[in-house]
């Protein structure tokens, strides 16, 4: 369950399984119709909380130098992301879709959610899902800068949790403003980063609570979060509680029952986690054309494109950059 990657970093199987479950939720929401169940958005929230936990460990617990942190984030994300974005813009040009170079530049700079208007969903290209990647990158930047002004893990944790709560409050304000709210609304990082920041902050204070967490609590927290996001009669309740429930679940997986950790460490689930970034990137063009072919065929094509991306672009470029970029 615990092994060392080529980089020497501890690699925990059940966290890969959590990531794999997250991307399967996204695929279910997009390609597998189930009555009364759409887990696509919930999968994104699971990703966010896992990212918060992992980045909190690197930045605040391990105190990874920022130069190394930025290099590793770049090698992990940017090569596959660059190929995907360029492919979508080349395809758009082939179809005589007009776009400006500013749109391309802002997409590559993780600012397309905000600039230029009308935002990332108004491009006419299947890049709307990149808003969630933008949120992650903005959160990583905020957390990395926090390491320069604070050195107490507890204070950093409290600050991150309070900032996450502020994101929730801004989201409520945007909803109340209605048409007066910014056009990006809940897709903005000032709203959507709540799960990442709260999970990151809770990671830094949860050691004080580990001895009091019963083994059934992480799974219960995860299931309650699913129920809230799917069936809550109160619109505000999932936004208020989901970040805390998922932050608790992902940060206390080490205290969960052996059965849950074994399920999450199941090899196929872990592989989905390993492939998850390429799947995340390439599912969108096929999802955008869901009315043109059967969902099963589109899902197969998604996996084929994702595996090609992972084995030909994402993994080799990441390994090469990590070996040679010092």
């Amino acid at each position: 369950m615990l092994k060392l990657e080529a980089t020497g970093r501890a690699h925990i199987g059940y966290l890969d399984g959590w990531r794999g479950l997250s991307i399967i939720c996204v695929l279910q929401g997009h390609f597998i119709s189930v009555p009364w169940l759409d887990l696509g958005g919930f999968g994104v929230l699971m990703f966010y909380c896992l990212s918060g936990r992992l980045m909190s460990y690197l930045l605040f617990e391990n105190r990874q130098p920022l130069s190394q942190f930025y290099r590793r984030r770049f090698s992990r994300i940017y090569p596959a992301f660059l190929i995907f974005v360029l492919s979508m813009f080349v395809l758009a040009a082939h179809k005589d879709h007009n776009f400006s170079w500013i749109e391309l530049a802002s997409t590559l700079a993780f600012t397309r959610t905000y600039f230029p208007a009308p935002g990332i969903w108004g491009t006419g290209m299947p890049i709307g899902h990149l808003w969630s990647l933008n949120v992650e990158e903005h959160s990583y930047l905020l957390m990395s800068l926090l390491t320069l002004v604070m050195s107490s893990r507890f204070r950093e944790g409290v600050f991150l949790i309070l900032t996450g709560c502020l994101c929730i409050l801004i989201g409520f304000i945007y909803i109340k403003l209605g048409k007066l709210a910014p056009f990006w609304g809940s897709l903005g990082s000032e709203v959507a980063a709540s799960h990442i920041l709260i999970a990151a902050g809770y990671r830094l204070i949860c050691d004080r609570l580990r001895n009091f967490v019963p083994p059934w609590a992480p799974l219960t927290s995860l299931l309650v979060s699913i129920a809230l996001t799917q069936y809550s009669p109160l619109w505000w309740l999932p936004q208020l509680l989901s970040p805390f429930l998922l932050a608790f679940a992902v940060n206390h997986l080490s205290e969960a029952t052996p059965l849950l950790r074994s399920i999450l460490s199941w090899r196929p689930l872990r592989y989905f986690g390993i492939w998850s970034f390429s799947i995340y990137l390439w599912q969108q063009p096929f999802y955008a054309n869901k009315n043109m072919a059967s969902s099963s065929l589109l899902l197969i094509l998604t996996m084929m494109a994702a595996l090609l991306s992972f084995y030909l672009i994402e993994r080799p470029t990441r390994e090469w950059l990590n070996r040679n970029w010092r």
Side-chain angles (χ1 to χ4, degrees):
M1 187 160 51
L2 179 64
K3 64 180 182 178
L4 292 181
E5 294 179 296
T7 61
R9 185 176 60 204
H11 190 62
I12 303 175
Y14 56 73
L15 295 184
D16 273 340
W18 178 283
R19 187 183 288 109
L21 184 60
S22 303
I23 196 62
I24 288 173
C25 286
V26 173
L27 293 175
Q28 183 276 315
H30 285 184
F31 299 106
I32 305 171
S33 178
V34 178
W36 306 104
L37 190 66
D38 183 349
L39 295 174
F42 185 77
V44 174
L45 303 183
M46 289 183 67
F47 270 120
Y48 279 171
C49 285
L50 178 62
S51 292
R53 168 185 167 146
L54 296 176
M55 295 308 108
S56 184
Y57 167 76
L58 292 176
L59 288 168
F60 303 111
E61 294 184 63
N62 198 41
R63 292 291 168 179
Q64 188 176 85
L66 292 190
S67 59
Q68 182 183 7
F69 177 78
Y70 292 142
R71 288 198 305 269
R72 290 299 175 90
R73 290 304 92 205
F74 182 92
S75 65
R76 171 73 176 87
I77 292 169
Y78 214 82
F81 167 76
L82 176 63
I83 295 299
F84 172 79
V85 170
L86 293 180
S87 298
M88 294 303 101
F89 275 83
V90 167
L91 181 62
H94 177 70
K95 292 184 175 181
D96 295 324
H97 176 80
N98 293 323
F99 61 85
S100 68
W101 291 110
I102 292 178
E103 289 181 84
L104 175 59
S106 64
T107 303
L108 293 174
F110 304 112
T111 58
R112 189 67 185 89
T113 307
Y114 298 100
F115 176 80
I120 202 165
W121 285 105
T123 65
M125 291 177 278
I127 61 170
H129 64 313
L130 297 180
W131 70 269
S132 59
L133 184 60
N134 296 349
V135 173
E136 290 203 56
E137 300 312 303
H138 300 162
S139 300
Y140 298 166
L141 180 60
L142 173 64
M143 287 192 286
S144 66
L145 295 177
L146 180 60
T147 65
L148 301 176
V149 296
M150 285 189 181
S151 58
S152 165
R153 281 178 53 181
F154 182 78
R155 291 179 181 178
E156 289 164 337
V158 171
F159 177 86
L160 289 168
I161 291 173
L162 291 178
T163 306
C165 292
L166 178 61
C167 292
I168 296 173
L169 177 60
I170 293 172
F172 289 162
I173 292 173
Y174 282 1
I175 290 172
K176 289 298 183 181
L177 287 176
K179 293 182 179 180
L180 296 178
F183 67 81
W184 54 81
S186 62
L187 304 185
S189 299
E190 71 276 16
V191 175
S194 61
H195 286 76
I196 299 175
L197 299 179
I198 289 173
Y202 184 69
R203 168 75 186 186
L204 299 178
I205 65 174
C206 68
D207 285 346
R208 303 164 182 242
L209 305 173
R210 292 193 187 280
N211 292 333
F212 305 99
V213 175
W216 50 263
L219 177 59
T220 301
S221 184
L222 175 63
L223 294 177
V224 171
S225 183
I226 293 174
L228 281 177
T229 56
Q230 297 294 302
Y231 309 116
S232 174
L234 303 173
W235 64 267
W236 51 267
L237 197 58
Q239 297 180 59
L240 181 62
L241 296 183
S242 176
F244 295 97
L245 290 168
L246 284 176
F248 178 89
V250 75
N251 277 296
H252 286 294
L253 286 177
S254 57
E255 286 76 59
T257 62
L259 177 60
L260 176 59
R261 284 183 277 122
S262 296
I263 291 172
L264 290 176
S265 299
W266 185 43
R267 186 181 296 270
L269 199 57
R270 288 170 52 201
Y271 270 113
F272 268 89
I274 292 168
W275 301 328
S276 61
F277 183 59
S278 284
I279 296 174
Y280 159 81
L281 287 175
W282 288 96
Q283 54 78 35
Q284 193 71 14
F286 299 99
Y287 172 60
N289 291 283
K290 61 182 179 180
N291 295 324
M292 299 180 63
S294 71
S295 296
S296 299
L297 176 59
L298 293 174
L299 182 56
I300 292 171
L301 293 174
T302 292
M303 291 305 301
M304 291 174 61
L307 292 177
L308 287 172
S309 173
F310 179 80
Y311 286 107
L312 297 181
I313 302 169
E314 181 185 340
R315 187 171 72 172
T317 54
R318 180 175 74 243
E319 292 177 348
W320 187 90
L321 286 170
N322 287 342
R323 283 196 308 269
N324 296 282
W325 190 6
R326 302 293 180 182

